[in-house]
Amino acid sequence: MEPQRTKIKELLKSDSFGSKVTVKGWVRTHRGSKQVHFIAVNDGSIIHNVQVVADSDLFDEETLQHITTGSSIRVTGTLVESMGKGQRMEIQAQEIELYGTADTETYPLQKKGHSLEFLREIAHLRPRTNTFGAILRLRHAMAYAMHTFFNEKGFYYLHTPIITGSDCEGAGQMFRVTTLDLNNLPRKDNGAIDYTEDFFGTETNLTVSGQLEGELGALALSEIYTFGPTFRAENSNTPRHLAEFWMVEPEMAFYDLSDTMNLAEEFIKFLITYALEHCRDELEFLNKMYDKELIVRLQSVIAADFERLSYTQAIDILKESGRAFEFPVGWGHDLQAEHERFLVEEHFKRPVILIDYPQEIKPFYMKRNDDGKTVRAMDVLFPKIGEIIGGSQREESYEKLTDRIAAMEIPAKDIWWYLETRKFGTVPHSGFGLGFERLMVFVSGMSNIRDVIPFPRTPGNASF
Ligand code: 4AD
Ligand code: MG
């Protein structure tokens, strides 16, 4: 029988020196002399390797030669205190089993210090680097912390559909889902494509947001959240945009906008605190390698009260700044990342929550303010990122909502079910969406969103 494997994360905590242990993993480095070989093994459970010491007398030349960077092995041996510098323990190998070799000439992760751009081209192997191991463990921790936060508050996790017949954000940035033969499309008499022949009998797309269905859940279970992939066919080749990204969307009955701002601030601080408490190795590595201010920045964000002000006040500040922005500043224009970052990084020097945006630049579902011009929108703006959260109080009045969708020429027939919730037991409610990868960019200190998701989808790129 094969000996029980210990993951390196557990092993490194142990002090049962003298006992027999088995580790399995991938070889990071192998250096040897005539008498003795040193093999650093990593199994991805933790950033650190374990050092294996193999006596040349015990192992045949052939086996040792195949233990190269990238190969995979099982090692069984005795855990001993290490005499060498840099590690507390090592394994004195008694058996080494080679699972798979990795050719020295062609294995791409031979030397250290590859560029992030190069690693994107080998996204199938980059999880084996220290950088992506750290990011993927951090990503897991953030997802776990997110579920913990909501579970402890009594929110229920609602699974919303990926394929939809409606456009939540109304920005027309959807990916079509169809089984129609694109070379032979069924046509109606007037020449239009006949979607009644399509799989679902209607036009369908990948969702841009789980919010509309999330609202249905909140209007029954009180407080829910969704967490899933969302898709946007916006042709933005920026370090902050993905075509496929994950969004966390809480939706709360009986919350007004200020309750929602409080929740958003508490939520983000909880996640960052969790990272600082549980992902120390990862953050220290990323701080050292990529962003010397990372940990200090994370600490400063949890210590700060987020600044709260209206869109209109923000426009005044931007105008008075005397800055030459690339995009024009003016009431009614949407804010660009440069404006958001000016407010956060230079003016207030802390995260900012902007509310009450002009209704023209926001989606149909936001609650109208009495001024007739603005809506109860809320964007949370972060250093390095700009917008990290977008949300709002929702329009709960059937009349106001139907007026708005008529004015925006949104087909009511696609969202009749959404409108019915305003007819039957409507209540004030609110919610927001946190871009999970934007959060990851902030927490990891990476500067490109392509480097915080295992397999990024961006314009022109769907490999892996
Ligand atoms: O502001 P957005 O478009 O809001 C919504 O979708 C609402 N339905 C959310 C809600 O109220 N339930 O998107 C929410 C967040 C943004 O603040 C941003 O963090 C992220 O999603 N996001 C993106 N992240 C990566 N790539 C993209 N292309 C993104 N677009 C939005
Ligand atoms: Mg937004």
Side-chain angles (χ1 to χ4, degrees):
M1 201 183 89
E2 233 183 49
Q4 170 90 41
R5 169 214 192 178
T6 306
K7 292 227 200 122
I8 293 171
K9 182 179 181 180
E10 295 311 312
L11 190 74
L12 294 180
K13 285 190 232 161
S14 129
D15 47 16
S16 44
F17 297 115
S19 65
K20 195 166 174 177
V21 296
T22 291
V23 298
K24 300 180 178 185
W26 294 267
V27 172
R28 285 295 177 83
T29 56
H30 178 181
R31 59 201 165 82
S33 65
K34 269 213 149 38
Q35 295 82 35
V36 63
H37 290 247
F38 297 98
I39 305 161
V41 180
N42 186 281
D43 66 4
S45 61
I46 188 170
I47 200 160
H48 306 293
N49 306 327
V50 70
Q51 169 153 286
V52 172
V53 183
D55 225 312
S56 304
D57 298 344
L58 284 178
F59 301 94
D60 61 83
E61 189 88 359
E62 167 88 24
T63 310
L64 288 171
Q65 264 174 13
H66 281 117
I67 300 175
T68 56
T69 299
S71 63
S72 46
I73 57 174
R74 168 178 71 86
V75 178
T76 299
T78 310
L79 190 67
V80 297
E81 279 183 88
S82 177
M83 301 299 193
K85 276 205 293 266
Q87 67 273 329
R88 194 167 69 86
M89 62 178 64
E90 59 199 23
I91 299 173
Q92 198 75 54
Q94 281 139 14
E95 290 167 37
I96 299 180
E97 179 184 354
L98 183 67
Y99 291 121
T101 57
D103 176 47
T104 325
E105 296 298 312
T106 51
Y107 182 60
L109 294 173
Q110 283 306 337
K111 30 180 195 41
K112 287 186 177 167
H114 296 291
S115 74
L116 292 169
E117 289 77 10
F118 172 70
L119 292 176
R120 274 174 225 148
E121 291 166 16
I122 53 161
H124 58 306
L125 294 172
R126 70 178 184 171
R128 295 197 200 169
T129 61
N130 279 337
T131 297
F132 285 89
I135 284 171
L136 296 180
R137 284 186 297 271
L138 190 58
R139 197 178 156 103
H140 162 82
M142 289 298 88
Y144 182 79
M146 178 267 294
H147 285 297
T148 304
F149 177 83
F150 287 122
N151 185 54
E152 284 176 0
K153 284 200 172 300
F155 283 54
Y156 295 110
Y157 181 22
L158 184 78
H159 299 95
T160 52
I162 302 287
I163 299 174
T164 74
S166 54
D167 181 359
C168 176
E169 295 304 296
Q173 299 173 322
M174 305 211 291
F175 288 100
R176 175 65 45 82
V177 174
T178 182
T179 54
L180 291 179
D181 177 358
L182 298 184
N183 296 311
N184 184 20
L185 290 167
R187 301 275 176 187
K188 294 196 276 202
D189 292 343
N190 65 3
I193 296 169
D194 184 4
Y195 286 103
T196 61
E197 303 264 312
D198 205 347
F199 188 90
F200 296 105
T202 179
E203 279 188 65
T204 49
N205 294 287
L206 295 178
T207 190
V208 296
S209 160
Q211 177 194 323
L212 299 186
E213 293 88 354
E215 286 187 49
L216 311 182
L219 294 176
L221 302 172
S222 282
E223 290 157 344
I224 62 90
Y225 66 105
T226 71
F227 179 49
T230 50
F231 306 86
R232 298 204 183 173
E234 50 185 331
N235 206 352
S236 326
N237 245 316
T238 82
R240 310 180 317 128
H241 288 91
L242 290 165
E244 175 176 307
F245 64 98
W246 287 65
M247 193 162 26
V248 187
E249 296 182 273
E251 191 71 33
M252 301 75 65
F254 315 111
Y255 270 52
D256 66 13
L257 193 63
S258 96
D259 300 325
T260 309
M261 287 193 273
N262 293 341
L263 183 76
E265 182 167 341
E266 188 188 342
F267 178 44
I268 294 208
K269 287 180 172 174
F270 180 91
L271 296 176
I272 296 171
T273 305
Y274 189 94
L276 286 167
E277 283 173 4
H278 295 87
C279 307
R280 208 63 208 194
D281 283 346
E282 282 73 22
L283 293 182
E284 277 170 11
F285 174 81
L286 294 165
N287 193 96
K288 187 170 92 199
M289 303 298 291
Y290 295 100
D291 180 352
K292 297 275 184 280
E293 258 121 61
L294 174 63
I295 292 176
V296 171
R297 190 181 313 110
L298 296 179
Q299 286 163 338
S300 80
V301 163
I302 47 182
D305 287 331
F306 294 5
E307 192 72 36
R308 301 178 183 195
L309 67 154
S310 70
Y311 164 92
T312 304
Q313 289 169 310
I315 292 291
D316 290 342
I317 292 171
L318 291 167
K319 277 190 184 154
E320 284 158 22
S321 73
R323 270 303 163 97
F325 292 109
E326 188 188 332
F327 292 91
V329 175
W331 204 94
H333 289 288
D334 209 352
L335 297 181
Q336 302 295 323
E338 57 169 344
H339 308 132
E340 296 171 341
R341 293 185 60 177
F342 173 82
L343 292 168
V344 172
E345 291 167 18
E346 297 183 48
H347 190 82
F348 289 111
K349 298 189 167 41
R350 58 179 63 206
V352 171
I353 309 183
L354 290 191
I355 61 167
D356 296 340
Y357 281 71
Q359 102 174 342
E360 273 65 38
I361 57 172
K362 290 292 182 188
F364 71 94
Y365 51 72
M366 295 193 178
K367 184 178 173 67
R368 190 113 73 98
N369 280 313
D370 293 335
D371 64 11
K373 294 190 301 192
T374 60
V375 286
R376 300 295 281 155
M378 159 191 108
D379 276 10
V380 180
L381 314 180
F382 254 49
K384 283 198 68 188
I385 313 286
E387 179 190 340
I388 194 165
I389 283 181
S392 75
Q393 188 164 341
R394 317 306 190 191
E395 185 54 76
E396 82 264 24
S397 150
Y398 181 78
E399 285 71 31
K400 288 186 188 159
L401 190 60
T402 46
D403 281 355
R404 188 69 195 139
I405 67 168
M408 293 177 76
E409 296 176 14
I410 294 168
K413 69 167 179 30
D414 291 348
I415 50 167
W416 63 270
W417 41 271
Y418 182 79
L419 298 174
E420 281 209 346
T421 58
R422 273 57 171 178
K423 276 208 257 181
F424 306 131
T426 191
V427 300
H429 65 287
S430 306
F432 63 80
L434 167 75
F436 193 64
E437 286 74 22
R438 298 242 175 122
L439 171 85
M440 279 298 302
V441 166
F442 184 74
V443 176
S444 68
M446 301 304 280
S447 42
N448 195 313
I449 200 162
R450 292 166 177 80
D451 298 328
V452 298
I453 186 165
F455 307 106
R457 266 82 183 98
T458 49
N461 177 30
S463 297
F464 311 105

